[in-house]
Each structure stands twice: as structure tokens, then as C-alpha cells.
Amino acid sequence: MKQITSRQNPEIIAVSKLKNAKGRSQQNRFIAEGLRTCSALVKAGLNPLQIYVTEPNIDHVRSLVSIDYITETTSEVLDKISQTKTPSGIIGVFPIKPQPQPSKLSEGIVLAQITDPGNMGTLIRTCAAMDKKSVVIIDGVDPWNAKVIQASAGAIAQIDIFQWTWQELLHYKKNLNLIGLIVHGGKSMHEINTKNALLVIGSEAQGIPTEWLSDCDQFATLAMPGGIESLNAAVAGSIAMYLAWANQ
């Protein structure tokens, strides 16, 4: 197990660049923070390139990986590479999974212009909980953003992530049906055949772009007996996924 105590160490400087999308793209790796998230990633089969840890947390991390993949460091160094206000004392660096072949696309969700990382991570986590394997991301936040990873609680490692344009989705979806989740005018999820389908969830502010709606095969709307206009994208999408697939 090696030690790093300087915030100016070249390795630490390289890791700190993973806090932005350009750095992640250049290095093809991402940051995960906290024991729970790192554990979920490892259990899903995604092995870390390195885990940086403060001395009190070493034993926790040794239960996850070989000592060869552990670097002991200081709280000051972790502050430099962390994206949270109060770092947990455990930060893992993991390889970004290569984008799967289009032939692997299966039932799951399409995230259309989802820009909030917390919403995206929650939706990915719900998709994994429903045992669906495909998430298509179109014009949204980088799914390997540390906040997305955190909100997914590591479930992103269980999912095939496709970063496509809308036209690429239409080209590759083949016989999968697109179910657009809309605020008004759609059917109840119980009235829709959700087998062999992709649930399209639009952005927090605008929903699914108008020009994409015509490509959807069916539309679903969640009933709002309390008179609320709409729900947060993560809440609405998660409820829709549960209604669609929990008892499938």
C-alpha cells in the first residue's frame, strides 16, 4: 500500500481532473465517493483502478480490494479530489465501461435531456432495481459525473449505458416500442403493454421535445388526484417504472 501526502502529487492532480467531463473523457475513468458506492460498484463487477483512503478507513477498504489498489492519503489530499463538502474518507477511481454494441439494447429507459445529475442517478438506480439493463442518454448530463454515480448508489455498474442521439436511438431500437411519459393526455400505465419497451423520460423543465413525441408508439400519464401539475423527473420516472415492471 502506497502513501500520498501532497496535494501537488502528479497522480492526485490527474485524479482531480476527473471532476469535469473533459478529464473523464481523456482518462476514460471516473470518481466514486464513499464506502457504500464503491462497494456496490465492486460487487457489480467493476474493479477500481485505485482507492484513496484516510487511515481510519483502511480496514473497510481492505475488505473490498487487494492492498495493491489502496493508497493511504490525508484529508487535505482527499479534499482536492472530492466533489462533496464533507469527503467520506474513501474515494475510488474506476474505469468507464465501454459503450456496448447497439445489439445489446433491451428493455429499459431513455433519458431525454435530463440535466440534473441527482435525477439521472436516481432514475438509473430505479431502472436497475426493476431489473432492466438499458439506459439510453440523449443530450443529458454526463452519466459518469460523480453526483450521478453517488445518486445511483453504484447501480450504474449493473446497467448498459448508451449515449446516443435521438436519430441513433430510432435507428437501433428495432422492435422495441417507445413509451413517452407525458404530463397530460396519456394512458394509465396499467392500460399499456410495457413488454419489449423503452420508457422515455423527458427533462425536468421541458419534458420530451415536441419533435420527438411523434416517434413514440404510446404515451403514459401518471394520475394526479391531488391536483399537482407535475412531479420531479426522478420521482415521475421511478413511479412509472414501478408501475410498468414491478409485477412483470
Side-chain angles (χ1 to χ4, degrees):
M1 179 174 60
K2 64 182 180 182
Q3 292 182 318
I4 295 178
T5 57
S6 171
R7 288 166 58 96
Q8 302 309 313
N9 182 285
E11 183 175 329
I12 296 302
I13 292 173
V15 173
S16 70
K17 292 179 179 179
L18 300 179
K19 291 190 284 187
N20 61 67
K22 180 180 179 181
R24 292 190 292 273
S25 177
Q26 289 176 339
Q27 298 183 44
N28 200 38
R29 54 187 64 181
F30 69 92
I31 289 172
E33 302 200 35
L35 179 63
R36 180 186 180 193
T37 302
C38 289
S39 296
L41 291 167
V42 172
K43 289 177 182 177
L46 194 61
N47 294 319
L49 300 169
Q50 198 67 211
I51 295 183
Y52 301 88
V53 58
T54 53
E55 193 277 332
N57 293 292
I58 290 174
D59 287 342
H60 295 307
V61 177
R62 289 185 69 172
S63 66
L64 289 181
V65 296
S66 160
I67 199 169
D68 296 333
Y69 296 94
I70 301 173
T71 296
E72 181 184 352
T73 187
T74 64
S75 297
E76 291 73 23
V77 170
L78 283 189
D79 283 341
K80 184 177 179 69
I81 61 178
S82 174
Q83 286 192 289
T84 65
K85 292 181 179 179
T86 54
S88 66
I90 299 171
I91 295 179
V93 174
F94 291 79
I96 291 177
K97 294 167 57 180
Q99 180 159 283
Q101 292 298 311
S103 59
K104 287 202 69 179
L105 183 67
S106 60
E107 289 183 331
I109 57 176
V110 178
L111 303 183
Q113 300 182 342
I114 298 292
T115 58
D116 182 271
N119 284 345
M120 180 176 286
T122 298
L123 289 163
I124 289 172
R125 184 179 182 183
T126 304
C127 187
M130 294 298 101
D131 198 29
K132 302 305 171 185
K133 302 302 181 185
S134 292
V135 173
V136 180
I137 296 171
I138 301 175
D139 298 340
V141 66
D142 177 14
W144 305 106
N145 177 308
K147 292 181 180 179
V148 176
I149 304 299
Q150 196 79 13
S152 81
I156 194 169
Q158 303 175 39
I159 294 291
D160 288 327
I161 300 290
F162 302 86
Q163 292 181 270
W164 287 342
T165 65
W166 183 258
Q167 290 305 314
E168 285 175 321
L169 168 65
L170 297 180
H171 178 73
Y172 291 127
K173 76 180 185 68
K174 298 188 184 300
N175 64 337
L176 289 166
N177 292 315
L178 298 180
I179 301 173
L181 184 61
I182 57 176
V183 176
H184 301 293
K187 294 182 179 180
S188 163
M189 195 62 72
H190 298 298
E191 300 177 89
I192 293 176
N193 182 0
T194 58
K195 290 185 178 180
N196 200 39
L198 290 163
L199 179 65
V200 184
I201 303 165
S203 72
E204 300 80 3
Q206 305 298 327
I208 303 169
T210 303
E211 60 271 26
W212 297 353
L213 288 172
S214 60
D215 297 315
C216 292
D217 302 289
Q218 302 177 82
F219 297 98
T221 295
L222 299 178
M224 302 285 177
I228 299 299
E229 175 69 18
S230 63
L231 296 173
N232 166 282
V235 174
S238 294
I239 292 172
M241 278 187 267
Y242 186 85
L243 294 174
W245 295 315
N247 297 310
Q248 194 179 81

